[in-house]
Amino acid sequence: TIKESRTNGHVAWSTHTLESKAVEDFRRRLKYFFMNPCEKYKARGRKPWKLMLQILKIAIITVQLVSFGLSNQMMVTFKDENLMTFRHLFLKEYKDPRLGSYALYTKADVYDHIYYIINRYTSLQNLSVGNLAYESVDGKYSPLSVCQVFYRNSSIDPGNDTFDIDPHIETGTKSLDNNSLAAHVNFSLDFKRLLSVNIYLNLKTINLQTVRHHELPDCYDFHIMIVFDNRAHSGKIKVDIENDVRIYECRDWNVEGTSGKNNYLLLLFDSVVILACLTSLILCTRSVINGIQLQFEFNVFFHAYYNKIVTWSDRMEFVNGWYILIIVSDTLTIAGSVLKIGIQAKFQTNYDVCSILLGTATMLVWVGVIRYLGFFKKYNLLILTLRAALPNVFRFCCCATMIYLGYCFCGWIVLGPYHDKFRTFDKVTECLFSLINGDDMYATFLQMRDKTYMVWLFSRLYLYSFISLFIYMVLSLFIAVITDTYETIKHHQQDKEPFSQLQAFIAECRDQPESGRYQTDDDPSTCCLSPCGCFG
C-alpha cells in the first residue's frame, strides 16, 4: 500500500481515504439500522411516534375483541340453549347425554317417538316457555316433513343366511300441514331396508337478551332435523337433533328509550381500528421492503470490498420477523373488523370466521410485545434462544412426528374397535398427546381391561412403549435441544463474541448513539431504511 501510494502520489492516498470513509459510513448506517427506538432517538433525536401507534393499536384491538367476544358469547349461548330446549321438547324422556346415547330398540318405540314429535310440534306454543313461533311463507305455516331414507329393494333372511339387496338409496317424504297435523297421521316403516327417518321442522325466535347490553336483538330461524339413524341395522336406532341457524335483522322493531347512537359509535370505533391497522400495515411493509433493499446493498458491498459471499443467515437478519408478525396481525384485524361491521349492519352473520380473525390478530399483537422486552438484555436472551433454537426444534419435531403418526395409525386400527379414545384418528392424536403430557393415563389403561387377552396384551405393549419413548426420551431430547442453544447464546453474550460476519462488521463501529455522528443530511432516505419506518 505504501509503494502504491508513493508511485501514484496524492491520488492513491485520496482514493484509499475515500474508500475508508465509505466503509465507515456504511458500517454506521448498518449499526443505525439495527438500533432500537431509544437508541435511534439518542442518535438522531426523532421521537418514536410509530412506536406509540403500536401501543395504541394494542389497546384498541383488545377492546374491540372483548366487545365482540361478549356479543359472540351471547349468540353461541342462545343457540346452544335453544338446541337443548328442542331436545327436551321433541325427544321423549330425554336425559343428559353423559348418561348414554339416546337410542330406541323396538318398532313400537320408533312409531311412538315419531308421533310424539308431531304432537309436540302441534301444541308447541302452549308448551314452550320460550318465544318460539312457526315459520310462515306467504301467510302459510311451513309444513313439518317426515322423510324416509331406505334401500330400493331388499330381501333379508338371517335364519337361512341369505339376502338380496339393491344398494341404491331412495327417499320418501311426507309433508304435514296444519290440517294434516290436526288429524291422526298414519304411515309405515320397512325396518329391514330403512336407513334413517328424518323429521324436518322450522321455528323462529328472537334473542332478547342483547337488549340489556345495548345491542339490537336479532331474529333467528331454526331449521331443525331430528334423525332416527338405522344405518348400522344393529337393532339400535340412535336419535339426535341437528340444528341449522340463520340470523338476520328483524323486520319491524322498536326499543323504548334507545336510538341507533350505540351502533354508530361502534361503527366509528371499528373504523378507527381499521385506520390504525392500515397505517401500521403500510409502514411495516415499507420497512420490510427497505430492509430487503439494504440487504442487497450489503451483499454487493461485501462482495466488492471483501470478495466474500454473504451467508443466508446474515441476509435474513435484515428481514425483521416482528414486522412480518405485525403485517399478518394488521391484515387479520382489518378483515375481521370489516366482517364485524357487516355483522353489526346485519349484512352477514358469520360470527365464527370473524371471531377467529379478531382472536388470532389480538394474539399476534400481544405476542409482538415481546419485541419491546427484547430491548432489555435478560429478556433478550430468551428471545434470542427461541429464534436460534427454532430451526433445530423444527427438524427435531419433523422426526418425532413420523414416530408419533406411526403410533396414531397403529392405535386407530388395532385399538379403535375396543376403546372410545381410539375410535377415530383425530381422537387418537388427542389421546396420545394427552398421554405425553401425563393426562388421563390410568383411565386409558383401565378401559382395556375387559377386552380379549390378545388385544389387552397388545394395548399394554403399545401404551407402555409409547409413554416410555415419548416422555423419557423424546421430551428429554426436545428440552436438551433448547437448553444447548440457551447455553450457547449465553456464552456468546458473556464473551461478547459476534455471531456472524454481519455482526462482526458492525461491531467495528465504536460510535455511540450520543456521539452525533449518525446525523446525516439525507435523513428521510435513511429513515426509510431503518426500523423507525415501522416503530419510530
Side-chain angles (χ1 to χ4, degrees):
T1 305
I2 296 175
K3 291 181 179 179
E4 291 177 359
S5 300
R6 289 175 178 175
T7 302
N8 298 325
H10 181 71
V11 176
W13 178 259
S14 300
T15 303
H16 178 73
T17 304
L18 290 175
E19 288 181 353
S20 299
K21 186 177 184 302
V23 171
E24 289 300 320
D25 289 343
F26 191 73
R27 183 180 285 118
R28 195 177 296 114
R29 182 181 171 191
L30 289 175
K31 185 173 182 178
Y32 180 81
F33 178 83
F34 289 103
M35 286 181 181
N36 63 51
C38 298
E39 293 174 337
K40 289 178 180 178
Y41 175 72
K42 296 177 183 178
R44 294 187 178 177
R46 293 184 177 180
K47 295 181 180 180
W49 297 109
K50 300 176 183 66
L51 172 61
M52 299 178 187
L53 172 63
Q54 298 302 319
I55 297 175
L56 173 65
K57 198 180 70 175
I58 291 174
I60 59 178
I61 288 177
T62 303
V63 172
Q64 182 193 45
L65 178 70
V66 172
S67 173
F68 179 77
L70 294 175
S71 176
N72 187 39
Q73 184 178 11
M74 286 189 294
M75 182 273 299
V76 173
T77 302
F78 185 74
K79 288 167 56 177
D80 291 342
E81 290 180 352
N82 272 275
L83 181 58
M84 183 59 65
T85 298
F86 298 146
R87 288 195 174 109
H88 282 278
L89 284 174
F90 298 115
L91 301 184
K92 190 175 182 180
E93 299 177 358
Y94 179 78
K95 298 179 181 179
D96 192 331
R98 291 175 293 182
L99 301 177
S101 60
Y102 190 88
L104 307 175
Y105 300 91
T106 66
K107 296 179 180 180
D109 284 342
V110 174
Y111 285 114
D112 184 39
H113 278 70
I114 292 176
Y115 290 130
Y116 179 83
I117 293 170
I118 295 173
N119 293 331
R120 299 285 281 191
Y121 180 75
T122 305
S123 55
L124 178 64
Q125 292 182 321
N126 296 327
L127 293 173
S128 176
V129 297
N131 297 317
L132 295 173
Y134 303 116
E135 184 184 54
S136 61
V137 179
D138 297 330
K140 296 182 179 180
Y141 291 124
S142 298
L144 179 147
S145 302
V146 180
C147 179
Q148 300 183 49
V149 181
F150 48 85
Y151 291 122
R152 180 181 296 175
N153 187 25
S154 67
S155 176
I156 303 173
D157 189 356
N160 294 326
D161 299 330
T162 61
F163 67 90
D164 180 14
I165 189 169
D166 184 349
H168 293 88
I169 296 174
E170 292 184 346
T171 302
T173 303
K174 188 171 186 178
S175 298
L176 308 175
D177 55 17
N178 291 341
N179 295 329
S180 301
L181 292 172
H184 187 70
V185 181
N186 290 316
F187 57 90
S188 60
L189 301 173
D190 186 355
F191 288 93
K192 289 188 176 181
R193 59 193 185 108
L194 179 68
L195 292 174
S196 67
V197 176
N198 305 325
I199 301 178
Y200 301 92
L201 46 95
N202 301 318
L203 296 173
K204 304 178 70 172
T205 189
I206 300 175
N207 185 5
L208 295 176
Q209 64 176 329
T210 57
V211 173
R212 295 181 286 107
H213 298 274
H214 307 288
E215 292 185 22
L216 186 65
D218 293 321
C219 287
Y220 287 68
D221 274 354
F222 291 103
H223 301 281
I224 305 165
M225 181 174 67
I226 305 174
V227 181
F228 293 75
D229 187 1
N230 189 42
R231 288 174 295 178
H233 286 88
S234 61
K236 176 182 178 180
I237 296 181
K238 292 178 287 187
V239 184
D240 196 12
I241 290 183
E242 298 177 7
N243 185 25
D244 185 22
V245 184
R246 185 176 74 91
I247 307 173
Y248 59 96
E249 184 178 8
C250 296
R251 183 174 55 184
D252 186 14
W253 59 271
N254 179 39
V255 181
E256 295 293 336
T258 62
S259 62
K261 182 179 180 181
N262 291 328
N263 291 333
Y264 290 119
L265 290 177
L266 287 174
L267 179 61
L268 177 62
F269 181 76
D270 291 333
S271 301
V272 171
V273 173
I274 292 175
L275 181 62
C277 291
L278 186 61
T279 304
S280 173
L281 176 65
I282 294 173
L283 294 174
C284 289
T285 303
R286 186 188 68 174
S287 295
V288 170
I289 294 173
N290 290 327
I292 294 174
Q293 291 176 348
L294 185 58
Q295 175 218 117
F296 286 113
E297 291 182 28
F298 176 72
N299 188 34
V300 174
F301 173 87
F302 219 67
H303 182 72
Y305 280 84
Y306 298 97
N307 196 26
K308 293 182 179 179
I309 302 298
V310 180
T311 62
W312 178 254
S313 59
D314 283 349
R315 299 181 72 172
M316 291 305 297
E317 288 285 335
F318 292 90
V319 182
N320 196 320
W322 298 112
Y323 297 162
I324 305 298
L325 186 74
I326 293 174
I327 289 172
V328 174
S329 173
D330 289 337
T331 304
L332 294 177
T333 303
I334 293 172
S337 299
V338 171
L339 286 178
K340 183 174 180 290
I341 292 174
I343 290 173
Q344 292 171 351
K346 311 304 176 186
F347 294 143
Q348 57 92 27
T349 56
N350 206 333
Y351 280 84
D352 292 337
V353 174
C354 184
S355 61
I356 291 173
L357 292 175
L358 293 180
T360 306
T362 307
M363 178 188 69
L364 295 179
V365 166
W366 280 97
V367 169
V369 176
I370 298 178
R371 178 183 185 270
Y372 309 123
L373 297 178
F375 299 152
F376 305 95
K377 290 186 177 180
K378 292 185 177 180
Y379 293 105
N380 191 43
L381 180 61
L382 300 177
I383 298 170
L384 291 175
T385 301
L386 292 175
R387 186 174 66 179
L390 187 61
N392 292 331
V393 168
F394 179 76
R395 287 189 288 267
F396 180 84
C397 288
C398 289
C399 297
T401 300
M402 299 300 104
I403 305 174
Y404 185 78
L405 288 176
Y407 270 92
C408 287
F409 282 109
C410 178
W412 176 36
I413 297 301
V414 179
L415 303 181
Y418 304 98
H419 202 299
D420 290 338
K421 295 182 180 180
F422 293 83
R423 194 75 70 190
T424 60
F425 186 78
D426 59 324
K427 286 185 178 181
V428 177
T429 57
E430 294 166 1
C431 176
L432 295 184
F433 188 79
S434 299
L435 289 177
I436 293 175
N437 292 278
D439 296 337
D440 215 18
M441 282 191 181
Y442 180 71
T444 305
F445 279 96
L446 185 64
Q447 291 188 27
M448 293 299 301
R449 283 189 174 182
D450 299 330
K451 310 307 177 184
T452 62
Y453 177 75
M454 183 175 294
V455 175
W456 176 86
L457 180 62
F458 178 85
S459 69
R460 264 45 191 173
L461 295 174
Y462 175 85
L463 292 173
Y464 279 124
S465 63
F466 177 82
I467 292 171
S468 301
L469 177 63
F470 274 85
I471 291 182
Y472 303 129
M473 294 181 63
V474 174
L475 285 184
S476 298
L477 290 173
F478 183 82
I479 295 172
V481 170
I482 300 177
T483 304
D484 181 65
T485 306
Y486 177 81
E487 292 297 332
T488 303
I489 298 293
K490 187 177 180 181
H491 171 72
H492 279 293
Q493 280 201 339
Q494 289 176 348
D495 297 342
K496 295 183 179 180
E497 297 178 2
F499 297 108
S500 61
Q501 292 179 344
L502 173 63
Q503 295 180 5
F505 179 75
I506 296 176
E508 295 181 17
C509 180
R510 306 299 181 183
D511 298 332
Q512 297 299 318
E514 303 89 349
S515 64
R517 303 197 65 179
Y518 294 93
Q519 298 287 347
T520 59
D521 296 332
D522 55 343
D523 280 349
S525 61
T526 309
C527 181
C528 292
L529 292 171
S530 71
C532 282
C534 185
F535 294 110

